[in-house]
Amino acid sequence: MPASNDIQAAALALREGKLVAFPTETVYGLGADATNDKAVALVYAAKGRPAFNPLITHVPHAEAAFALGEFSEDARKLALAFWPGPLSLVVPRKADCPISLLASAGLSSIAIRVPSHPVALEFLKAAERPVVAPSANPSGKISPTTADHVRKHLKDKVAAILDGGRCKVGVESTVVGFLDGSPTLLRHGGIPRAELERVIGHPLAVESHSARPHAPGQLLSHYAPHAELRLHAEAPRDGEAYLGFGKFHAHGPYTLSPSGDLVEAAASLFRLLHEIDATGVQRIAVAPIPHQGLGEAINDRLMRAAAPRDSS
Ligand code: TXA
Ligand code: MG
């Protein structure tokens, strides 16, 4: 087990915006300050994910979770029954929720859990802020259940790897969504469905995207700005707001990154789309984004946001 000093040092690095790998009872997590857009963007860059999947926010106790999201009665029941433990709850974000919109991948919901590994809990308390953590493996590789697995692929991308031994559960947390009234099982995981149903006293709907591992971004099609998007635009046309990038940025106040930095662009993408949308403009023209590194995920997201709307 890591010494208390090492945990404190790792927490400090996290507060400075760096990435820290830490053990949980399910798998090792690749942690970042959940309130720091740039740090969250680094997580996607380190994982090499071609799309922005929403991330799970980790907190040291249920009260901290209740401060971030709107918990229905059933959601509270599950939280109180299974936390700390391998259960993540997806709930609407509170209006003043400080979690990065990038961590929510632009959705108005947030996934939260309280892990039970003692090192995770000590690290989260020391961090003094919520921590996003996907499994600490590069995209397409299997989830890490020892510190060695993490070292093998992500050593150069993290400020610290806290070694807490082998993960006891070994599969990711069960994910349950509470968005349109009835609780829905979104991912099978460490807590079996029957145990959840016993606590809430009725069956869970099941909408497993683990059945479609190649389309994990599918659920993101729920989010799109009101305005229509025009992509690969080198300049705005009449009536359009312009979202610039790199050398295409001299057309107004909104720029993903004036220097053409893709990590900075990812960090501000959802915030700027929301900001522009809030002005009520009907069309947003978006500068060309290079299709490399995080640019792939940014373009994936922009293409979904620009896709023809389902009017139903
Ligand atoms: O056990 C775990 O949950 C591990 C450890 C490190 O805590 N973390 C983990 O994170 O598995 P990740 O990023 O590999 O998986 C997050 C899952 C994805 O299936 C994602 O779609 C879902 O949580 N998720 C996160 N936020 C969501 C949201 N707002 N709505 C729907 N699903 C969400
Ligand atoms: Mg994963």
Side-chain angles (χ1 to χ4, degrees):
M1 293 285 147
S4 213
N5 294 354
D6 295 336
I7 295 180
Q8 294 294 335
L12 183 64
L14 181 116
R15 286 202 294 273
E16 287 169 347
K18 295 177 187 145
L19 305 184
V20 171
F22 65 98
T24 81
E25 73 281 20
T26 59
V27 299
Y28 275 74
L30 180 61
D33 178 349
T35 63
N36 177 336
D37 286 329
K38 188 92 186 268
V40 176
L42 286 177
V43 169
Y44 292 102
K47 283 195 63 106
R49 271 187 177 170
F52 297 124
N53 297 337
L55 302 175
I56 297 169
T57 293
H58 297 65
V59 292
H61 44 74
E63 286 309 317
F66 298 159
L68 298 171
E70 307 281 2
F71 283 71
S72 66
E73 205 184 315
D74 276 350
R76 261 170 207 272
K77 272 191 199 161
L78 290 182
L80 296 174
F82 295 105
W83 284 350
L87 175 67
S88 297
L89 300 174
V90 177
V91 297
R93 294 168 64 103
K94 278 203 162 161
D96 59 352
C97 179
I99 303 299
S100 162
L101 279 177
L102 183 59
S104 285
L107 301 166
S108 54
S109 57
I110 182 179
I112 316 182
R113 88 179 187 96
V114 180
S116 66
H117 194 295
V119 174
L121 288 172
E122 196 178 335
F123 173 61
L124 292 172
K125 281 178 196 142
E128 292 174 347
R129 68 202 55 198
V131 172
V132 285
S135 49
N137 54 287
S139 183
K141 305 271 182 202
I142 54 170
S143 295
T145 52
T146 67
D148 266 341
H149 294 164
V150 182
R151 259 179 229 118
K152 197 167 148 199
H153 295 292
L154 292 174
K155 194 170 180 290
D156 302 335
K157 310 250 163 88
V158 297
I161 299 174
L162 295 172
D163 189 341
R166 185 176 295 280
C167 302
K168 290 216 173 75
V169 177
V171 295
E172 285 93 340
S173 59
T174 302
V175 181
V176 178
F178 286 89
L179 297 175
D180 38 18
S182 52
T184 304
L185 183 66
L186 298 175
R187 178 176 78 179
H188 295 282
I191 297 197
R193 175 177 164 187
E195 281 191 37
L196 302 168
E197 292 178 340
R198 193 170 42 74
V199 168
I200 53 175
H202 58 85
L204 280 175
V206 180
E207 179 200 286
S208 179
H209 55 269
S210 59
R212 287 182 308 192
H214 300 299
Q218 211 69 8
L219 85 165
L220 301 186
S221 54
H222 293 309
Y223 169 75
H226 284 292
E228 271 178 49
L229 259 60
R230 184 167 70 83
L231 306 183
H232 311 293
E234 299 192 355
R237 296 178 185 150
D238 275 356
E240 288 180 339
Y242 192 66
L243 185 54
F245 177 83
K247 68 178 174 174
F248 304 106
H249 76 265
H251 302 288
Y254 306 109
T255 304
L256 289 166
S257 166
S259 66
D261 175 348
L262 289 164
V263 172
E264 185 186 8
S268 48
L269 175 65
F270 293 110
R271 183 171 40 79
L272 287 175
L273 284 176
H274 278 283
E275 236 174 78
I276 300 174
D277 225 18
T279 66
V281 74
Q282 293 301 304
R283 277 171 77 91
I284 306 173
V286 186
I289 310 292
H291 208 64
Q292 67 201 35
L294 276 187
E296 274 186 87
I298 295 171
N299 282 323
D300 169 85
R301 203 60 210 89
L302 286 170
M303 268 156 53
R304 286 174 199 284
R309 301 301 148 74
D310 183 350
S311 55
S312 64

